[in-house]
Amino acid sequence: MEYGSHRRFLPVSRADMQQRGWDWVDVVLVTGDAYVDHPAFGTAVIGRVLENAGFRVGVIAMPDWRNPDCMTVFGKPRLFFGIGSGNVDSMLSKYTAFLRLRRDDPYVPGGRAGIKPDRALIVYANLVKSAFRDARIVLGGIEASMRRVVHYDFWSDSVRRSILADTRGDILAYGMAEKTVVAIADRLRDGKTPEGIPGTVHFRKEPVPEAVHLPGEEEAVASRDSFVEFYRRFYTHQHELLCQPAGGRFLLHHPVD
C-alpha cells in the first residue's frame, strides 16, 4: 500500500466527492479520530484497502455527535457505514482508571480532549440509524473487537451484552479486518448476505447445530458463575464456530481463517 503526498486523500466532504466526479459512495467510514492518511490510523488503512479493491470510500472523521445531521455528509452509501470509535477505546480515551476526565487526546488536532462521546460506537451507530433507518452498519476497530460478545465492563462494573445488540449493527468485523471488510463489501455489492465470513459476528434467527453452544446472554449477564462459564467456553473454543442464544436470536461468532 502506498502512502504519500502524490495520492489524493479519501473524500471527507461532499465537495471532495464531487471533485472526483462522484454522486455517491459505496462505503462511509466513521471514526472518532482525525483522518490522518497514515497506516498508524486504522480508518486510513481500511479506507485505502477498500479503495484498492475498487470501492468508492468517504470518511466522516470526528463527527459532531450533538448534531443529528453529522452522518449525512455523503448521503446514504450504496453498501454500508463502517463505524469505529478510533485507535483507542472511547472510554479509555476519555477517562483514566480512576474515572477522571483526561486532559488531552493525541488522536485529534491540538490534542483536544472530549471530542468523542462516551461509548462512541453506540452513539455513532444510533446517529446513523436516525438519519438512514435502513442503512447497513458494519462495526470494526478495537472497541468493537473487545466488546463483540458478552463482556465485563470496567466503567460500569457490570457485565454487558454484545455491542452489536446495543448499536443495532448488521455485522461486526473483529481483529485485523482488512480481508474481512473487503469480503463484506464484495458480498453486498453482489447482492449476497455477508453472513458466514471468517472474523465476523452477527445475529441470526435460528441456531446452528454444528456450532459450539455458549451459555445464553441473559444468563451470562445475570449470574457471575454463568459469565465465568461463558468466558471459559468462549476462550477455549474461540477458534471454532460459536453460537449463543441472545434476546430471542442467536449470536454467531465466526473464527478467523
Side-chain angles (χ1 to χ4, degrees):
M1 184 181 301
E2 298 178 13
Y3 288 83
S5 59
H6 64 287
R7 297 201 66 182
R8 287 190 292 177
F9 290 108
L10 297 172
V12 296
S13 67
R14 183 168 292 273
D16 288 348
M17 179 179 72
Q18 291 171 344
Q19 281 182 1
R20 294 194 176 206
W22 299 351
D23 296 321
W24 45 266
V25 294
D26 294 304
V27 177
V28 173
L29 298 179
V30 180
T31 175
D33 293 339
Y35 166 43
V36 179
D37 198 31
H38 186 276
F41 287 73
T43 299
V45 172
I46 294 299
R48 291 302 190 186
V49 167
L50 284 166
E51 180 188 49
N52 192 57
F55 296 99
R56 297 180 180 184
V57 182
V59 177
I60 299 178
M62 303 182 301
D64 179 3
W65 54 275
R66 297 176 182 85
N67 177 3
D69 296 327
C70 64
M71 298 298 173
T72 64
V73 174
F74 301 100
K76 179 184 170 185
R78 283 206 316 162
L79 301 181
F80 62 84
F81 279 91
I83 303 179
S85 61
N87 280 2
V88 178
D89 181 287
S90 61
M91 297 298 284
L92 183 60
S93 176
K94 192 169 182 179
Y95 298 98
T96 70
F98 296 100
L99 300 181
R100 295 177 179 173
L101 288 171
R102 295 190 185 275
R103 296 180 180 178
D104 64 353
D105 183 340
Y107 293 104
V108 304
R112 291 175 295 157
I115 297 297
K116 305 179 186 73
D118 288 1
R119 307 189 189 282
L121 211 61
I122 298 174
V123 174
Y124 295 159
N126 285 333
L127 284 167
V128 167
K129 285 296 186 182
S130 295
F132 306 104
R133 188 173 181 179
D134 59 344
R136 297 187 190 93
I137 291 177
V138 177
L139 305 180
I142 190 168
E143 192 161 338
S145 295
M146 294 181 66
R147 303 176 185 210
R148 64 187 186 269
V149 294
V150 171
H151 58 281
Y152 172 72
D153 181 70
F154 169 81
W155 314 101
S156 61
D157 191 23
S158 65
V159 175
R160 293 176 63 101
R161 62 184 181 173
S162 167
I163 200 167
L164 193 61
D166 288 333
T167 56
R168 298 176 290 166
D170 294 279
I171 193 167
L172 183 154
Y174 65 90
M176 304 300 286
E178 292 94 330
K179 292 182 179 178
T180 306
V181 74
V182 172
I184 292 171
D186 283 340
R187 291 269 194 96
L188 293 175
R189 179 191 55 197
D190 296 340
K192 300 177 181 178
T193 174
E195 292 187 5
I197 294 173
T200 63
V201 179
H202 61 83
F203 286 107
R204 61 173 287 161
K205 294 181 180 179
E206 303 294 334
V208 178
E210 64 269 23
V212 174
H213 286 257
L214 303 173
E217 174 189 87
E218 291 82 359
E219 303 168 45
V221 169
S223 163
R224 178 179 297 180
D225 290 341
S226 292
F227 176 71
V228 170
E229 173 57 21
F230 158 79
Y231 197 80
R232 183 195 69 80
R233 205 177 301 179
F234 171 76
Y235 185 82
T236 303
H237 298 282
Q238 62 183 302
H239 301 300
E240 304 173 56
L241 176 62
L242 304 176
C243 180
Q244 180 188 39
R249 299 180 291 175
F250 295 87
L251 187 75
L252 286 192
H253 182 284
H254 298 272
V256 177
D257 277 342

